[in-house]
Amino acid sequence: MPRSETTAARQVVDLITGTWRAQALHAAAALSLPDHIAAGHGTVAALADHTGASEDGLARLLRLLAALGVFTGDEEEGYGLTDVGALLVADGEQSMRDMVLLYGEEFHRAWGAVVPAIRTGASGFEHAFGISLHAYLRDVPDAGPRFLRAMNAGNVFFPEAAAAFDFTRAHTVVDVAGGSGLLLSAVLQAHPHLTGTVFDLPHMLPVAERHLSATVGAHRYETIAGDVFDKVPAGNDVYLLSRVLQDWDDERCVTLLANIRAAMADTGRLLVLERVVATDGTASVLPLLWDMHLLMAAGGRERTLDGYRSVLGAAGLRLESVHSLALETSLLVAAPVGGTPSAPALP
């Protein structure tokens, strides 16, 4: 086989075995292997004793995960944690364990329906579970809190977002569909003069209450239950919208954005955190993967900058500025059309 064909064949093999790597990581998290190893139980025998799993199966899984850089060591000397493995410890700082579990369970099943999702345009999650992701999070016990914990692991850009916008003239902030309250707490901690509100569906608020009560003084925040497609709290200076537009089609996005616009004063600002798909040939694979994942999970999509301009404009808002954040995320600052400018408008 010519060298070019060998290289191409290896690329195909690497692509089709990608899910095996993800599922091996999921197995490690589901069996709490990083927690047991962190506690000093790094041998195959000790891990089998603590997990109830077979020694043979564990030995093979651990050998693979060591080769993938999740663990150090080997079967003879025992296993330890790399920086990657440390992120899977349940109570570790910035733990990603819940994210790995969600992607290895519910989202793995959703991706199993990729072909019918592409054919019909309905989400892979609906094909796999028979209900939408939003209904699942509302109706299945503990699904909403588990989802929020998983999403928290991908929120490393929140402190950057809090620093990227000038909150000097603001007094009140509302995190619309604010979920866990992490974004609001990052903003309030960075700007002590602000008070804030998490606005979300009732089943999502307990997680936000717990987080905000532990990180922000009780006098600086409140939580309000409601549906963004009906109305949002009015009269605030800054509205936050983090990874919400990605879950909905353009029509629904315009509806929720119009509700935010109706609640804003002409001097207000909307801060949107989303991934933007580049159209100049520089797009990396990650935003494109997320775009496909949104179709699998919720029937949503990532958008180009023109796509965001379009839905914002239809709701009476204009894109004022764009700031790059970590993990290929962007902060889009939107202002009411005809409102008071605070920064040069984008071309």
Side-chain angles (χ1 to χ4, degrees), residues 19 55 57 82 134 137 144 212 233 239 241 250 293 310 329 340-341:
T19 188
E55 290 194 21
T82 65
H134 297 283
L137 298 179
L212 289 166
Y239 289 79
L241 197 63
D250 286 358
H293 173 66
S310 176
T329 302
T340 304

Side-chain angles (χ1 to χ4, degrees), residues 146-277:
R146 283 194 299 109
F147 178 81
L148 292 179
R149 291 195 301 270
M151 293 302 98
N152 289 348
N155 291 342
V156 295
F157 47 81
F158 280 179
E160 291 184 33
F165 179 77
D166 184 3
F167 287 90
T168 304
R169 290 181 288 178
H171 299 284
T172 58
V173 181
V174 179
D175 193 356
V176 178
S180 65
L182 257 69
L183 176 56
L184 181 63
S185 71
V187 170
L188 296 184
Q189 288 175 312
H191 305 282
H193 69 286
L194 295 174
T195 58
T197 301
V198 168
F199 177 74
D200 209 331
L201 296 169
H203 63 278
M204 293 299 209
L205 293 181
V207 175
E209 284 279 2
R210 286 194 294 272
H211 177 74
L212 289 166
S213 65
T215 58
V216 179
H219 64 289
R220 295 188 61 204
Y221 79 91
E222 64 177 338
T223 58
I224 298 177
D227 188 337
V228 67
F229 292 107
D230 294 331
K231 63 179 181 179
V232 301
N236 293 273
D237 300 314
V238 178
Y239 289 79
L240 310 174
L241 197 63
S242 176
R243 297 179 300 181
V244 175
L245 299 181
Q246 65 179 19
D247 287 344
W248 304 100
D249 61 27
D250 286 358
E251 182 179 357
R252 295 285 273 172
C253 284
V254 171
T255 297
L256 71 87
L257 288 168
N259 287 341
I260 294 173
R261 172 61 188 100
M264 295 171 64
D266 286 345
T267 55
R269 290 297 182 269
L270 168 64
L271 310 186
V272 177
L273 278 73
E274 294 283 1
R275 286 186 175 87
V276 177
V277 177

Side-chain angles (χ1 to χ4, degrees), residues 64-83:
L64 170 60
L65 290 170
L68 294 175
V70 179
F71 299 136
T72 61
D74 55 35
E75 188 171 354
E76 288 189 10
E77 68 179 43
Y79 291 93
L81 299 178
T82 65
D83 289 344

Side-chain angles (χ1 to χ4, degrees), residues 9-31:
R10 177 54 191 263
Q11 187 173 359
V12 170
V13 171
D14 286 343
L15 288 169
I16 63 175
T17 57
T19 188
W20 299 353
R21 300 166 192 242
Q23 286 304 104
L25 198 66
H26 169 254
L31 292 169

Side-chain angles (χ1 to χ4, degrees), residues 246 274-277 286-292 294 300-304 308:
Q246 65 179 19
E274 294 283 1
R275 286 186 175 87
V276 177
V277 177
L286 186 57
L288 304 179
L289 283 170
W290 279 106
D291 180 49
M292 276 297 299
L294 290 168
R301 67 188 313 121
E302 302 286 19
R303 291 176 171 84
T304 64
Y308 286 113

